[in-house]
Amino acid sequence: MSGIFDSLGIDPGIIIIILLVLSIVLIINVVSSNMRLSRLERKYRIFMKGTDGQSLEKMFIRKFAQIDRLYEAKEDHERDINHLKKAFGYTFSKYGVEKYDAFEDVGGKLSFALAMLNKDNSGLILNAVHSRDNCFLYLKEIVKGESYVMLSQEEVEALRKAVNFGIGEIVEKE
């Protein structure tokens, strides 16, 4: 065999060194593959611990059923949230109160005008006029921030407070 290498002009020592390096690289590759395989087997044993194929299948079926129930619950929640958003448009979320003395002989600012509005500035104004003998309550409708009936100065102030409700808080946060 050395005759073949001699006729080609190759030193047999170089071939041996190349084969030795190639063997070392292959041994390192085999060891690395065995380590990865053992880690994979360990993860597989942990995954399959205490289960056989049928019980694992039952577990997957339970998990998929849970996912289906969660999806149905999510649909119900979205429907409820949309219903609440629609209902919130009709609720009174802004208010303004102006207390005043309706008559000079009655003090203590027992009379008041209360404006209650929704997000579109529609709602009502309650005006309670307190005298020594009686208390009168007047209600006026507000549509988009305006009244079709003449408003008193106190009612206008209560309406202004209600329309601007929360604006001062927004400016302070910024």
Side-chain angles (χ1 to χ4, degrees), residues 44-111:
Y44 176 75
R45 277 193 221 106
I46 290 171
F47 178 70
M48 295 299 286
K49 189 175 185 178
T51 59
D52 58 359
Q54 286 183 343
S55 62
L56 190 60
E57 182 180 355
K58 289 177 185 175
M59 183 181 71
F60 281 132
I61 289 172
R62 277 195 315 268
K63 293 298 179 186
F64 285 132
Q66 271 183 331
I67 290 170
D68 289 342
R69 284 193 306 273
L70 288 173
Y71 182 76
E72 290 171 6
K74 180 189 86 74
E75 294 291 321
D76 291 341
H77 294 157
E78 284 179 352
R79 191 172 37 257
D80 291 343
I81 287 170
N82 288 334
H83 176 71
L84 289 172
K85 281 181 181 178
K86 185 188 265 185
F88 184 70
Y90 300 112
T91 60
F92 296 136
S93 57
K94 302 186 208 177
Y95 68 91
V97 178
E98 184 66 21
K99 293 181 73 176
Y100 64 97
D101 288 326
F103 303 103
E104 290 179 14
D105 62 334
V106 178
K109 294 190 176 186
L110 298 175
S111 300

Short mmCIF file of all heavy atoms in Angstrom, two decimals, residues 44-111:
data_model
loop_
_atom_site.label_atom_id
_atom_site.label_comp_id
_atom_site.label_asym_id
_atom_site.label_seq_id
_atom_site.Cartn_x
_atom_site.Cartn_y
_atom_site.Cartn_z
N TYR A 44 -38.46 13.83 27.00
CA TYR A 44 -39.55 12.96 26.59
C TYR A 44 -40.09 12.17 27.77
O TYR A 44 -41.30 12.04 27.94
CB TYR A 44 -39.07 12.02 25.49
CG TYR A 44 -40.11 11.02 25.06
CD1 TYR A 44 -41.18 11.41 24.26
CD2 TYR A 44 -40.04 9.68 25.46
CE1 TYR A 44 -42.14 10.50 23.87
CE2 TYR A 44 -41.00 8.78 25.08
CZ TYR A 44 -42.05 9.18 24.29
OH TYR A 44 -42.99 8.28 23.91
N ARG A 45 -39.18 11.66 28.63
CA ARG A 45 -39.62 10.90 29.80
C ARG A 45 -40.41 11.79 30.76
O ARG A 45 -41.40 11.37 31.34
CB ARG A 45 -38.41 10.30 30.52
CG ARG A 45 -37.96 9.01 29.90
CD ARG A 45 -36.97 8.26 30.79
NE ARG A 45 -35.93 7.73 29.92
CZ ARG A 45 -34.70 8.20 29.82
NH1 ARG A 45 -34.30 9.19 30.58
NH2 ARG A 45 -33.84 7.67 28.98
N ILE A 46 -39.96 13.04 30.95
CA ILE A 46 -40.69 13.97 31.81
C ILE A 46 -42.07 14.25 31.23
O ILE A 46 -43.07 14.27 31.95
CB ILE A 46 -39.89 15.29 31.99
CG1 ILE A 46 -38.65 15.02 32.85
CG2 ILE A 46 -40.75 16.38 32.61
CD1 ILE A 46 -37.69 16.19 32.90
N PHE A 47 -42.14 14.42 29.92
CA PHE A 47 -43.41 14.70 29.25
C PHE A 47 -44.37 13.51 29.37
O PHE A 47 -45.55 13.68 29.60
CB PHE A 47 -43.16 15.04 27.78
CG PHE A 47 -44.40 15.32 26.99
CD1 PHE A 47 -45.14 16.47 27.21
CD2 PHE A 47 -44.84 14.43 26.03
CE1 PHE A 47 -46.27 16.73 26.49
CE2 PHE A 47 -45.98 14.68 25.31
CZ PHE A 47 -46.70 15.83 25.54
N MET A 48 -43.82 12.31 29.25
CA MET A 48 -44.67 11.11 29.25
C MET A 48 -44.81 10.50 30.64
O MET A 48 -45.45 9.47 30.79
CB MET A 48 -44.08 10.06 28.30
CG MET A 48 -44.08 10.49 26.84
SD MET A 48 -45.71 10.80 26.20
CE MET A 48 -46.32 9.15 26.04
N LYS A 49 -44.21 11.10 31.66
CA LYS A 49 -44.20 10.54 33.00
C LYS A 49 -45.62 10.28 33.49
O LYS A 49 -46.46 11.17 33.52
CB LYS A 49 -43.48 11.49 33.95
CG LYS A 49 -43.24 10.89 35.32
CD LYS A 49 -42.42 11.84 36.16
CE LYS A 49 -42.06 11.19 37.47
NZ LYS A 49 -41.25 12.06 38.28
N GLY A 50 -45.89 9.07 33.89
CA GLY A 50 -47.17 8.72 34.48
C GLY A 50 -48.29 8.64 33.46
O GLY A 50 -49.44 8.54 33.83
N THR A 51 -47.99 8.69 32.19
CA THR A 51 -49.06 8.63 31.20
C THR A 51 -48.72 7.59 30.15
O THR A 51 -47.57 7.31 29.85
CB THR A 51 -49.24 9.97 30.49
OG1 THR A 51 -48.01 10.32 29.85
CG2 THR A 51 -49.62 11.07 31.46
N ASP A 52 -49.77 7.03 29.63
CA ASP A 52 -49.60 6.19 28.45
C ASP A 52 -50.25 6.91 27.28
O ASP A 52 -50.71 8.03 27.42
CB ASP A 52 -50.22 4.80 28.68
CG ASP A 52 -51.70 4.88 29.04
OD1 ASP A 52 -52.23 6.01 29.11
OD2 ASP A 52 -52.32 3.83 29.22
N GLY A 53 -50.26 6.33 26.15
CA GLY A 53 -50.79 6.99 24.96
C GLY A 53 -52.24 7.41 25.12
O GLY A 53 -52.64 8.50 24.72
N GLN A 54 -53.08 6.55 25.74
CA GLN A 54 -54.50 6.86 25.87
C GLN A 54 -54.73 8.00 26.86
O GLN A 54 -55.53 8.90 26.61
CB GLN A 54 -55.27 5.61 26.30
CG GLN A 54 -55.45 4.61 25.18
CD GLN A 54 -56.28 3.42 25.62
OE1 GLN A 54 -56.46 3.20 26.81
NE2 GLN A 54 -56.77 2.67 24.65
N SER A 55 -54.04 7.97 27.99
CA SER A 55 -54.27 9.04 28.97
C SER A 55 -53.75 10.36 28.44
O SER A 55 -54.31 11.41 28.74
CB SER A 55 -53.64 8.68 30.31
OG SER A 55 -52.25 8.54 30.17
N LEU A 56 -52.68 10.34 27.67
CA LEU A 56 -52.17 11.56 27.05
C LEU A 56 -53.19 12.12 26.06
O LEU A 56 -53.44 13.32 26.01
CB LEU A 56 -50.83 11.28 26.36
CG LEU A 56 -50.04 12.47 25.86
CD1 LEU A 56 -49.70 13.39 27.03
CD2 LEU A 56 -48.79 12.00 25.17
N GLU A 57 -53.83 11.22 25.31
CA GLU A 57 -54.86 11.65 24.36
C GLU A 57 -56.05 12.26 25.10
O GLU A 57 -56.58 13.29 24.70
CB GLU A 57 -55.32 10.45 23.53
CG GLU A 57 -56.35 10.81 22.49
CD GLU A 57 -56.79 9.60 21.67
OE1 GLU A 57 -56.22 8.51 21.84
OE2 GLU A 57 -57.71 9.77 20.86
N LYS A 58 -56.44 11.66 26.24
CA LYS A 58 -57.54 12.20 27.04
C LYS A 58 -57.18 13.58 27.58
O LYS A 58 -58.03 14.48 27.62
CB LYS A 58 -57.88 11.26 28.18
CG LYS A 58 -58.55 9.99 27.75
CD LYS A 58 -58.80 9.08 28.94
CE LYS A 58 -59.37 7.75 28.48
NZ LYS A 58 -59.52 6.80 29.59
N MET A 59 -55.92 13.75 27.98
CA MET A 59 -55.48 15.05 28.48
C MET A 59 -55.58 16.11 27.38
O MET A 59 -56.05 17.22 27.62
CB MET A 59 -54.04 14.96 29.00
CG MET A 59 -53.55 16.27 29.62
SD MET A 59 -51.86 16.19 30.21
CE MET A 59 -50.97 16.14 28.67
N PHE A 60 -55.16 15.75 26.18
CA PHE A 60 -55.26 16.70 25.07
C PHE A 60 -56.72 17.04 24.77
O PHE A 60 -57.06 18.19 24.50
CB PHE A 60 -54.59 16.15 23.81
CG PHE A 60 -53.10 16.27 23.80
CD1 PHE A 60 -52.30 15.19 23.47
CD2 PHE A 60 -52.49 17.47 24.10
CE1 PHE A 60 -50.93 15.30 23.45
CE2 PHE A 60 -51.12 17.59 24.10
CZ PHE A 60 -50.33 16.50 23.76
N ILE A 61 -57.58 16.06 24.83
CA ILE A 61 -59.01 16.30 24.58
C ILE A 61 -59.57 17.26 25.63
O ILE A 61 -60.32 18.19 25.31
CB ILE A 61 -59.79 14.96 24.55
CG1 ILE A 61 -59.42 14.18 23.29
CG2 ILE A 61 -61.29 15.20 24.63
CD1 ILE A 61 -59.96 12.77 23.25
N ARG A 62 -59.19 17.05 26.91
CA ARG A 62 -59.66 17.96 27.98
C ARG A 62 -59.16 19.38 27.74
O ARG A 62 -59.89 20.34 27.92
CB ARG A 62 -59.17 17.45 29.34
CG ARG A 62 -60.04 16.39 29.96
CD ARG A 62 -59.73 16.20 31.45
NE ARG A 62 -58.32 16.14 31.76
CZ ARG A 62 -57.57 15.04 31.83
NH1 ARG A 62 -58.13 13.88 31.58
NH2 ARG A 62 -56.29 15.09 32.14
N LYS A 63 -57.89 19.49 27.36
CA LYS A 63 -57.32 20.83 27.13
C LYS A 63 -58.01 21.52 25.96
O LYS A 63 -58.30 22.72 26.01
CB LYS A 63 -55.81 20.75 26.89
CG LYS A 63 -55.02 20.31 28.09
CD LYS A 63 -55.18 21.28 29.24
CE LYS A 63 -54.41 20.82 30.45
NZ LYS A 63 -54.62 21.64 31.62
N PHE A 64 -58.27 20.80 24.89
CA PHE A 64 -58.96 21.40 23.75
C PHE A 64 -60.39 21.79 24.12
O PHE A 64 -60.90 22.81 23.67
CB PHE A 64 -58.96 20.47 22.54
CG PHE A 64 -57.63 20.38 21.85
CD1 PHE A 64 -57.08 19.16 21.51
CD2 PHE A 64 -56.92 21.53 21.54
CE1 PHE A 64 -55.85 19.08 20.88
CE2 PHE A 64 -55.70 21.47 20.90
CZ PHE A 64 -55.16 20.23 20.57
N ALA A 65 -61.04 20.99 24.98
CA ALA A 65 -62.39 21.35 25.43
C ALA A 65 -62.33 22.62 26.28
O ALA A 65 -63.21 23.48 26.16
CB ALA A 65 -63.00 20.20 26.24
N GLN A 66 -61.29 22.73 27.12
CA GLN A 66 -61.11 23.96 27.90
C GLN A 66 -60.93 25.16 26.98
O GLN A 66 -61.49 26.23 27.22
CB GLN A 66 -59.88 23.84 28.81
CG GLN A 66 -60.14 23.25 30.15
CD GLN A 66 -58.86 23.25 30.99
OE1 GLN A 66 -57.75 23.17 30.47
NE2 GLN A 66 -59.03 23.32 32.29
N ILE A 67 -60.14 25.00 25.96
CA ILE A 67 -59.90 26.10 25.01
C ILE A 67 -61.22 26.49 24.34
O ILE A 67 -61.51 27.68 24.18
CB ILE A 67 -58.83 25.70 23.97
CG1 ILE A 67 -57.46 25.61 24.64
CG2 ILE A 67 -58.81 26.68 22.81
CD1 ILE A 67 -56.38 25.01 23.77
N ASP A 68 -62.03 25.50 23.97
CA ASP A 68 -63.33 25.81 23.36
C ASP A 68 -64.23 26.58 24.32
O ASP A 68 -64.89 27.54 23.93
CB ASP A 68 -64.02 24.52 22.91
CG ASP A 68 -63.34 23.88 21.71
OD1 ASP A 68 -62.57 24.59 21.01
OD2 ASP A 68 -63.57 22.68 21.47
N ARG A 69 -64.24 26.16 25.60
CA ARG A 69 -65.06 26.87 26.59
C ARG A 69 -64.56 28.30 26.79
O ARG A 69 -65.35 29.24 26.92
CB ARG A 69 -65.07 26.12 27.92
CG ARG A 69 -65.96 24.89 27.92
CD ARG A 69 -66.19 24.34 29.32
NE ARG A 69 -64.98 24.06 30.06
CZ ARG A 69 -64.29 22.91 30.01
NH1 ARG A 69 -64.70 21.94 29.22
NH2 ARG A 69 -63.20 22.75 30.74
N LEU A 70 -63.24 28.47 26.81
CA LEU A 70 -62.68 29.82 26.96
C LEU A 70 -63.05 30.69 25.76
O LEU A 70 -63.34 31.88 25.91
CB LEU A 70 -61.16 29.75 27.12
CG LEU A 70 -60.67 29.23 28.46
CD1 LEU A 70 -59.16 29.04 28.42
CD2 LEU A 70 -61.05 30.16 29.58
N TYR A 71 -63.03 30.12 24.56
CA TYR A 71 -63.39 30.88 23.37
C TYR A 71 -64.86 31.30 23.44
O TYR A 71 -65.20 32.45 23.12
CB TYR A 71 -63.13 30.05 22.12
CG TYR A 71 -63.44 30.79 20.85
CD1 TYR A 71 -62.59 31.77 20.36
CD2 TYR A 71 -64.61 30.53 20.15
CE1 TYR A 71 -62.88 32.46 19.22
CE2 TYR A 71 -64.91 31.23 19.00
CZ TYR A 71 -64.04 32.19 18.54
OH TYR A 71 -64.34 32.88 17.39
N GLU A 72 -65.73 30.39 23.88
CA GLU A 72 -67.15 30.74 24.02
C GLU A 72 -67.34 31.83 25.07
O GLU A 72 -68.13 32.76 24.88
CB GLU A 72 -67.96 29.50 24.40
CG GLU A 72 -68.09 28.48 23.28
CD GLU A 72 -68.71 27.17 23.75
OE1 GLU A 72 -69.14 27.10 24.92
OE2 GLU A 72 -68.74 26.23 22.95
N ALA A 73 -66.60 31.73 26.17
CA ALA A 73 -66.70 32.76 27.22
C ALA A 73 -66.21 34.10 26.69
O ALA A 73 -66.79 35.14 26.99
CB ALA A 73 -65.88 32.34 28.45
N LYS A 74 -65.15 34.08 25.88
CA LYS A 74 -64.64 35.32 25.29
C LYS A 74 -65.70 35.95 24.39
O LYS A 74 -65.91 37.16 24.43
CB LYS A 74 -63.37 35.04 24.47
CG LYS A 74 -62.77 36.27 23.82
CD LYS A 74 -61.67 35.91 22.85
CE LYS A 74 -62.14 35.58 21.48
NZ LYS A 74 -62.59 36.60 20.60
N GLU A 75 -66.38 35.14 23.60
CA GLU A 75 -67.45 35.65 22.75
C GLU A 75 -68.56 36.28 23.60
O GLU A 75 -69.06 37.36 23.27
CB GLU A 75 -68.03 34.53 21.88
CG GLU A 75 -67.06 33.96 20.86
CD GLU A 75 -66.74 34.95 19.76
OE1 GLU A 75 -67.65 35.67 19.32
OE2 GLU A 75 -65.56 34.99 19.35
N ASP A 76 -68.94 35.60 24.70
CA ASP A 76 -69.97 36.15 25.59
C ASP A 76 -69.51 37.47 26.19
O ASP A 76 -70.29 38.43 26.28
CB ASP A 76 -70.29 35.16 26.71
CG ASP A 76 -71.02 33.93 26.21
OD1 ASP A 76 -71.59 33.99 25.08
OD2 ASP A 76 -71.03 32.90 26.92
N HIS A 77 -68.23 37.54 26.61
CA HIS A 77 -67.71 38.77 27.21
C HIS A 77 -67.70 39.92 26.20
O HIS A 77 -68.04 41.05 26.54
CB HIS A 77 -66.31 38.54 27.77
CG HIS A 77 -66.30 37.60 28.93
ND1 HIS A 77 -65.19 36.90 29.29
CD2 HIS A 77 -67.26 37.24 29.81
CE1 HIS A 77 -65.46 36.15 30.34
NE2 HIS A 77 -66.71 36.33 30.67
N GLU A 78 -67.31 39.61 24.97
CA GLU A 78 -67.31 40.67 23.94
C GLU A 78 -68.73 41.19 23.71
O GLU A 78 -68.94 42.39 23.58
CB GLU A 78 -66.71 40.14 22.64
CG GLU A 78 -65.21 40.01 22.66
CD GLU A 78 -64.65 39.46 21.35
OE1 GLU A 78 -65.43 39.03 20.48
OE2 GLU A 78 -63.42 39.46 21.21
N ARG A 79 -69.70 40.27 23.67
CA ARG A 79 -71.09 40.67 23.47
C ARG A 79 -71.56 41.54 24.66
O ARG A 79 -72.20 42.57 24.46
CB ARG A 79 -71.96 39.43 23.30
CG ARG A 79 -73.35 39.68 22.85
CD ARG A 79 -74.15 38.41 22.49
NE ARG A 79 -73.92 37.26 23.33
CZ ARG A 79 -73.17 36.21 22.99
NH1 ARG A 79 -72.57 36.16 21.82
NH2 ARG A 79 -73.02 35.18 23.81
N ASP A 80 -71.21 41.12 25.88
CA ASP A 80 -71.59 41.90 27.06
C ASP A 80 -70.93 43.28 27.07
O ASP A 80 -71.55 44.27 27.42
CB ASP A 80 -71.21 41.14 28.34
CG ASP A 80 -72.05 39.89 28.55
OD1 ASP A 80 -73.12 39.78 27.90
OD2 ASP A 80 -71.63 39.03 29.34
N ILE A 81 -69.66 43.33 26.68
CA ILE A 81 -68.95 44.61 26.64
C ILE A 81 -69.60 45.54 25.63
O ILE A 81 -69.79 46.74 25.90
CB ILE A 81 -67.45 44.39 26.34
CG1 ILE A 81 -66.76 43.79 27.57
CG2 ILE A 81 -66.77 45.69 25.93
CD1 ILE A 81 -65.35 43.32 27.31
N ASN A 82 -69.94 45.02 24.46
CA ASN A 82 -70.61 45.86 23.46
C ASN A 82 -71.97 46.35 23.97
O ASN A 82 -72.35 47.50 23.73
CB ASN A 82 -70.77 45.09 22.15
CG ASN A 82 -69.47 44.92 21.43
OD1 ASN A 82 -68.55 45.72 21.58
ND2 ASN A 82 -69.35 43.88 20.63
N HIS A 83 -72.69 45.48 24.69
CA HIS A 83 -73.97 45.89 25.27
C HIS A 83 -73.76 46.99 26.31
O HIS A 83 -74.52 47.98 26.35
CB HIS A 83 -74.66 44.68 25.90
CG HIS A 83 -75.94 45.00 26.59
ND1 HIS A 83 -77.09 45.34 25.91
CD2 HIS A 83 -76.25 45.06 27.90
CE1 HIS A 83 -78.05 45.60 26.77
NE2 HIS A 83 -77.56 45.43 28.00
N LEU A 84 -72.74 46.84 27.15
CA LEU A 84 -72.45 47.86 28.16
C LEU A 84 -72.03 49.18 27.52
O LEU A 84 -72.41 50.26 28.00
CB LEU A 84 -71.36 47.37 29.11
CG LEU A 84 -71.77 46.26 30.07
CD1 LEU A 84 -70.56 45.73 30.82
CD2 LEU A 84 -72.82 46.76 31.04
N LYS A 85 -71.23 49.11 26.45
CA LYS A 85 -70.84 50.35 25.75
C LYS A 85 -72.07 51.07 25.22
O LYS A 85 -72.18 52.30 25.34
CB LYS A 85 -69.89 50.03 24.59
CG LYS A 85 -68.48 49.77 24.99
CD LYS A 85 -67.64 49.50 23.76
CE LYS A 85 -66.21 49.19 24.10
NZ LYS A 85 -65.41 48.88 22.90
N LYS A 86 -72.99 50.31 24.65
CA LYS A 86 -74.21 50.92 24.12
C LYS A 86 -75.05 51.52 25.25
O LYS A 86 -75.53 52.64 25.14
CB LYS A 86 -75.02 49.87 23.36
CG LYS A 86 -76.24 50.44 22.67
CD LYS A 86 -77.11 49.33 22.10
CE LYS A 86 -76.78 49.08 20.67
NZ LYS A 86 -77.69 48.10 20.05
N ALA A 87 -75.17 50.79 26.35
CA ALA A 87 -75.97 51.28 27.49
C ALA A 87 -75.29 52.48 28.14
O ALA A 87 -75.98 53.38 28.64
CB ALA A 87 -76.17 50.16 28.51
N PHE A 88 -73.97 52.52 28.16
CA PHE A 88 -73.25 53.62 28.79
C PHE A 88 -73.55 54.95 28.08
O PHE A 88 -73.51 55.99 28.71
CB PHE A 88 -71.75 53.36 28.80
CG PHE A 88 -70.97 54.42 29.52
CD1 PHE A 88 -71.05 54.55 30.89
CD2 PHE A 88 -70.18 55.32 28.83
CE1 PHE A 88 -70.36 55.52 31.56
CE2 PHE A 88 -69.48 56.30 29.48
CZ PHE A 88 -69.56 56.41 30.86
N GLY A 89 -73.87 54.89 26.79
CA GLY A 89 -74.21 56.11 26.07
C GLY A 89 -75.46 56.79 26.60
O GLY A 89 -75.65 57.99 26.42
N TYR A 90 -76.31 56.03 27.29
CA TYR A 90 -77.55 56.58 27.81
C TYR A 90 -77.47 56.95 29.29
O TYR A 90 -78.41 57.53 29.83
CB TYR A 90 -78.70 55.59 27.62
CG TYR A 90 -78.93 55.25 26.17
CD1 TYR A 90 -78.66 53.97 25.68
CD2 TYR A 90 -79.38 56.21 25.27
CE1 TYR A 90 -78.85 53.66 24.35
CE2 TYR A 90 -79.58 55.91 23.94
CZ TYR A 90 -79.30 54.62 23.48
OH TYR A 90 -79.50 54.32 22.17
N THR A 91 -76.39 56.60 29.94
CA THR A 91 -76.29 56.89 31.37
C THR A 91 -75.77 58.31 31.60
O THR A 91 -75.04 58.86 30.78
CB THR A 91 -75.34 55.90 32.08
OG1 THR A 91 -74.05 56.02 31.50
CG2 THR A 91 -75.84 54.48 31.96
N PHE A 92 -76.14 58.87 32.73
CA PHE A 92 -75.65 60.19 33.10
C PHE A 92 -74.24 60.04 33.67
O PHE A 92 -74.05 59.46 34.73
CB PHE A 92 -76.56 60.86 34.13
CG PHE A 92 -77.94 61.15 33.61
CD1 PHE A 92 -79.06 60.89 34.37
CD2 PHE A 92 -78.12 61.70 32.35
CE1 PHE A 92 -80.32 61.16 33.90
CE2 PHE A 92 -79.38 61.98 31.87
CZ PHE A 92 -80.49 61.70 32.64
N SER A 93 -73.26 60.55 32.96
CA SER A 93 -71.87 60.41 33.39
C SER A 93 -71.24 61.76 33.73
O SER A 93 -70.11 61.81 34.18
CB SER A 93 -71.05 59.72 32.31
OG SER A 93 -71.13 60.44 31.10
N LYS A 94 -71.98 62.85 33.51
CA LYS A 94 -71.48 64.19 33.83
C LYS A 94 -72.53 64.91 34.66
O LYS A 94 -73.72 64.72 34.45
CB LYS A 94 -71.24 64.99 32.55
CG LYS A 94 -70.29 64.38 31.57
CD LYS A 94 -70.11 65.41 30.48
CE LYS A 94 -69.78 64.90 29.14
NZ LYS A 94 -69.70 65.96 28.16
N TYR A 95 -72.04 65.72 35.57
CA TYR A 95 -72.99 66.48 36.38
C TYR A 95 -72.40 67.83 36.74
O TYR A 95 -71.19 68.04 36.70
CB TYR A 95 -73.38 65.71 37.66
CG TYR A 95 -72.24 65.58 38.63
CD1 TYR A 95 -72.05 66.54 39.62
CD2 TYR A 95 -71.37 64.51 38.57
CE1 TYR A 95 -71.00 66.43 40.51
CE2 TYR A 95 -70.31 64.40 39.45
CZ TYR A 95 -70.13 65.35 40.42
OH TYR A 95 -69.10 65.25 41.29
N GLY A 96 -73.28 68.72 37.09
CA GLY A 96 -72.88 70.03 37.57
C GLY A 96 -73.91 70.52 38.58
O GLY A 96 -75.11 70.36 38.35
N VAL A 97 -73.47 71.07 39.69
CA VAL A 97 -74.37 71.54 40.74
C VAL A 97 -74.06 73.00 41.03
O VAL A 97 -72.90 73.38 41.14
CB VAL A 97 -74.19 70.71 42.03
CG1 VAL A 97 -75.10 71.24 43.14
CG2 VAL A 97 -74.45 69.25 41.78
N GLU A 98 -75.11 73.78 41.14
CA GLU A 98 -74.97 75.19 41.53
C GLU A 98 -75.96 75.44 42.65
O GLU A 98 -77.18 75.33 42.47
CB GLU A 98 -75.26 76.09 40.32
CG GLU A 98 -75.06 77.55 40.57
CD GLU A 98 -73.61 77.93 40.83
OE1 GLU A 98 -72.69 77.18 40.44
OE2 GLU A 98 -73.40 78.99 41.43
N LYS A 99 -75.44 75.76 43.85
CA LYS A 99 -76.28 76.07 45.01
C LYS A 99 -76.47 77.59 45.08
O LYS A 99 -75.56 78.34 44.76
CB LYS A 99 -75.63 75.56 46.29
CG LYS A 99 -75.58 74.04 46.34
CD LYS A 99 -74.94 73.54 47.61
CE LYS A 99 -75.92 73.78 48.72
NZ LYS A 99 -75.50 73.28 50.02
N TYR A 100 -77.67 78.00 45.51
CA TYR A 100 -77.95 79.44 45.58
C TYR A 100 -79.09 79.71 46.55
O TYR A 100 -79.78 78.78 46.98
CB TYR A 100 -78.27 79.98 44.18
CG TYR A 100 -79.52 79.41 43.55
CD1 TYR A 100 -80.73 80.09 43.64
CD2 TYR A 100 -79.49 78.19 42.87
CE1 TYR A 100 -81.88 79.57 43.06
CE2 TYR A 100 -80.63 77.67 42.29
CZ TYR A 100 -81.82 78.36 42.39
OH TYR A 100 -82.96 77.86 41.83
N ASP A 101 -79.25 80.97 46.88
CA ASP A 101 -80.39 81.41 47.67
C ASP A 101 -81.45 81.93 46.71
O ASP A 101 -81.24 82.90 45.99
CB ASP A 101 -79.98 82.54 48.64
CG ASP A 101 -79.13 82.04 49.78
OD1 ASP A 101 -79.35 80.89 50.21
OD2 ASP A 101 -78.24 82.78 50.22
N ALA A 102 -82.61 81.27 46.70
CA ALA A 102 -83.68 81.67 45.79
C ALA A 102 -84.36 82.96 46.26
O ALA A 102 -84.78 83.77 45.44
CB ALA A 102 -84.70 80.55 45.65
N PHE A 103 -84.46 83.15 47.56
CA PHE A 103 -85.14 84.33 48.11
C PHE A 103 -84.22 84.99 49.13
O PHE A 103 -83.45 84.31 49.81
CB PHE A 103 -86.46 83.93 48.76
CG PHE A 103 -87.38 83.21 47.81
CD1 PHE A 103 -87.53 81.83 47.88
CD2 PHE A 103 -88.09 83.91 46.84
CE1 PHE A 103 -88.37 81.16 47.00
CE2 PHE A 103 -88.93 83.25 45.97
CZ PHE A 103 -89.07 81.87 46.04
N GLU A 104 -84.32 86.28 49.23
CA GLU A 104 -83.44 87.02 50.14
C GLU A 104 -83.71 86.69 51.61
O GLU A 104 -82.79 86.73 52.43
CB GLU A 104 -83.60 88.53 49.91
CG GLU A 104 -83.05 88.98 48.59
CD GLU A 104 -83.23 90.47 48.38
OE1 GLU A 104 -83.53 91.18 49.36
OE2 GLU A 104 -83.05 90.92 47.24
N ASP A 105 -84.96 86.34 51.93
CA ASP A 105 -85.28 86.07 53.33
C ASP A 105 -84.95 84.63 53.75
O ASP A 105 -85.10 84.26 54.89
CB ASP A 105 -86.76 86.37 53.60
CG ASP A 105 -87.68 85.50 52.78
OD1 ASP A 105 -87.27 85.03 51.69
OD2 ASP A 105 -88.83 85.27 53.22
N VAL A 106 -84.48 83.79 52.80
CA VAL A 106 -84.11 82.41 53.10
C VAL A 106 -82.62 82.25 52.80
O VAL A 106 -82.19 82.38 51.66
CB VAL A 106 -84.93 81.41 52.25
CG1 VAL A 106 -84.49 79.99 52.55
CG2 VAL A 106 -86.41 81.58 52.48
N GLY A 107 -81.83 81.99 53.80
CA GLY A 107 -80.38 81.86 53.62
C GLY A 107 -79.95 80.41 53.63
O GLY A 107 -80.75 79.49 53.66
N GLY A 108 -78.65 80.19 53.59
CA GLY A 108 -78.10 78.84 53.67
C GLY A 108 -77.95 78.13 52.34
O GLY A 108 -77.59 76.96 52.30
N LYS A 109 -78.25 78.83 51.28
CA LYS A 109 -78.15 78.25 49.93
C LYS A 109 -78.80 76.86 49.86
O LYS A 109 -78.18 75.86 49.51
CB LYS A 109 -76.68 78.18 49.49
CG LYS A 109 -76.07 79.54 49.30
CD LYS A 109 -74.72 79.46 48.63
CE LYS A 109 -74.21 80.85 48.38
NZ LYS A 109 -72.99 80.88 47.62
N LEU A 110 -80.09 76.84 50.21
CA LEU A 110 -80.83 75.58 50.20
C LEU A 110 -81.38 75.24 48.82
O LEU A 110 -81.74 74.09 48.57
CB LEU A 110 -81.97 75.65 51.22
CG LEU A 110 -81.52 75.83 52.67
CD1 LEU A 110 -82.73 76.02 53.58
CD2 LEU A 110 -80.69 74.65 53.12
N SER A 111 -81.45 76.20 47.92
CA SER A 111 -81.91 75.94 46.55
C SER A 111 -80.71 75.49 45.72
O SER A 111 -79.57 75.86 46.00
CB SER A 111 -82.51 77.20 45.94
OG SER A 111 -83.62 77.62 46.70
#
